[in-house]
Amino acid sequence: MNAPWTDNDTPTDTLTAPETAHTAPAPTAPTAAQKIKIEREVHKLEKRLCRQVGQAIIDFNMIEEGDRVMVCVSGGKDSFGLLDILLKLQHRAPIHFDIVAVNLDQKQPGFPAHILPEYLSQLGIEYHIETQDTYSIVKKVVPEGKTMCSLCSRLRRGILYGVADRLKITKIALGHHRDDMLHTFFLNMFFAGKLKGMPPKLVSDDGGHVVIRPLAHVAEKDLIAWAAHRQFPIIPCSLCGSQENLQRQEIKRMVNQWERQYPGRTETMFTALQNVVPSHLMDGKHYNFKGVQRTGVADAQGDIAFDAEDLPLPSLTGVALVQL
């Protein structure tokens, strides 16, 4: 794939200030200068999102000519954002591919089943609503107070794979973003004893499906801002949304605290996931330590693990802000 994926052309949508619901009296209307500033910032955000998603598609060869891409839409900001950006890129991509939006209605009590069909119909795209009562299964099997995410995820994955088969899908796109991938890395390291993350592209266990994560380079804060601007009809998850004491929430708080103290650290850590040096870790399955022998040939990379590296100093501005 080539450059047009990351084209920075003027966005197709009219850029206006996002509306916010208020119970208090309406605030003073923004001035002309403020409107221009808002439009400029939203314009920059859209360009950044399109560029980052396009770059992920190129980096990992996520979408190819003739693909039917199933975008899994849950009703959250991430999946709405993924669908929105992919639809924009579809018009400027150097190849042809189809998009099919798919939602799994898990029959959660109070779930507003009309919202997504209405929204997707307005977009004028192909979509499918799959109705399966996984809610009752999870509530029946998982003891009260225990984490439901693992079982819910397995059930959802199996159902979506079946839908993909019926719809002749070639790629399944999920809305996990950069922060999700980094949090998963720390979860595995701290609680599972593995250096394992959330890959941008994978083949399913049965070998029958390719799963992609086009938001791999996108920060969650940008998706939050984009969702506010686009006014997506967000649907909260009543099944697991109240489980605030999950390990993932603790990891998220830890990473956010690091970012506040040392701005830019999140980006640095995410970059590290793309710069792995197996010879300087301890996994014999990925590097033949037993076979290491003297060669008599100089190797500039051979023992740099013993050298003191020049690491960047913490941002003084960030430290000052924390001290305040």
Side-chain angles (χ1 to χ4, degrees):
M1 297 184 184
N2 49 34
W5 275 108
T6 54
D7 193 346
N8 290 330
D9 288 344
T10 302
T12 56
D13 298 294
T14 301
L15 299 173
T16 57
E19 298 178 5
T20 306
H22 294 277
T23 55
T28 304
T31 65
Q34 290 172 328
K35 288 182 179 180
I36 292 174
K37 182 178 180 180
I38 291 171
E39 290 184 4
R40 185 183 301 118
E41 291 303 312
V42 174
H43 177 72
K44 288 165 58 178
L45 173 60
E46 180 174 352
K47 289 179 66 177
R48 182 164 63 251
L49 289 170
C50 288
R51 182 179 67 251
Q52 290 173 335
V53 173
Q55 192 61 54
I57 292 172
I58 293 171
D59 288 347
F60 305 106
N61 192 30
M62 290 183 175
I63 299 177
E64 301 170 273
E65 177 68 40
D67 269 341
R68 275 177 61 79
V69 180
M70 183 172 95
V71 180
C72 299
V73 182
S74 65
K77 70 181 189 315
D78 303 331
S79 59
F80 272 127
L82 173 61
L83 177 62
D84 200 39
I85 298 302
L86 283 181
L87 287 172
K88 295 179 187 299
L89 292 178
Q90 186 183 38
H91 295 295
R92 68 181 66 168
I95 61 172
H96 171 78
F97 66 95
D98 296 317
I99 291 176
V100 184
V102 172
N103 169 255
L104 172 58
D105 182 351
Q106 299 175 270
K107 304 310 295 180
Q108 298 174 24
F111 180 78
H114 65 285
I115 290 181
L116 279 170
E118 290 177 358
Y119 175 79
L120 297 172
S121 295
Q122 291 174 0
L123 292 180
I125 64 173
E126 182 180 351
Y127 72 91
H128 173 78
I129 306 296
E130 181 73 9
T131 302
Q132 297 278 354
D133 188 3
T134 62
Y135 177 85
S136 297
I137 297 174
V138 171
K139 294 295 288 186
K140 180 178 180 180
V141 173
V142 179
E144 191 67 30
K146 296 295 183 179
T147 302
M148 304 176 187
C149 299
S150 179
L151 176 58
C152 181
S153 178
R154 289 198 301 273
L155 292 172
R156 188 169 61 246
R157 184 165 60 244
I159 293 170
L160 290 175
Y161 286 167
V163 172
D165 288 334
R166 297 201 307 271
L167 298 180
K168 302 187 184 304
I169 297 298
T170 57
K171 301 287 174 57
I172 301 174
L174 303 180
H176 298 116
H177 47 69
R178 182 198 70 181
D179 300 66
D180 288 328
M181 298 169 82
L182 187 60
H183 297 161
T184 299
F185 171 78
F186 282 116
L187 278 169
N188 279 308
M189 182 168 66
F190 292 160
F191 300 107
K194 297 179 181 179
L195 288 182
K196 176 184 176 182
M198 182 182 282
K201 183 179 181 181
L202 61 88
V203 177
S204 60
D205 293 344
D206 63 4
H209 305 90
V210 175
V211 178
I212 59 175
R213 295 184 169 101
L215 299 179
H217 294 315
V218 177
E220 182 177 25
K221 60 182 177 61
D222 283 345
L223 290 167
I224 293 173
W226 187 245
H229 164 66
R230 297 289 282 161
Q231 296 183 310
F232 296 135
I234 304 298
I235 303 173
C237 177
S238 61
L239 181 61
C240 58
S242 61
Q243 295 181 301
E244 291 297 333
N245 294 322
L246 298 177
Q247 293 169 339
R248 183 173 290 274
Q249 292 295 332
E250 294 300 319
I251 293 293
K252 184 174 183 177
R253 279 190 280 269
M254 179 192 73
V255 173
N256 287 344
Q257 174 59 34
W258 285 347
E259 183 65 25
R260 285 192 295 271
Q261 187 172 1
Y262 305 112
R265 174 171 284 189
T266 300
E267 183 64 35
T268 301
M269 292 188 295
F270 185 75
T271 300
L273 296 181
Q274 305 167 73
N275 291 283
V276 180
V277 185
S279 64
H280 288 59
L281 296 173
M282 296 180 63
D283 191 340
K285 297 187 295 297
H286 296 282
Y287 188 81
N288 184 19
F289 291 101
K290 292 182 178 179
V292 172
Q293 301 288 338
R294 290 182 300 169
T295 64
V297 178
D299 182 357
Q301 301 296 315
D303 58 0
I304 60 173
F306 301 105
D307 297 339
E309 296 189 41
D310 294 325
L311 300 175
L313 294 173
S315 167
L316 295 178
T317 302
V319 173
L321 286 173
V322 171
Q323 290 173 343
L324 289 174

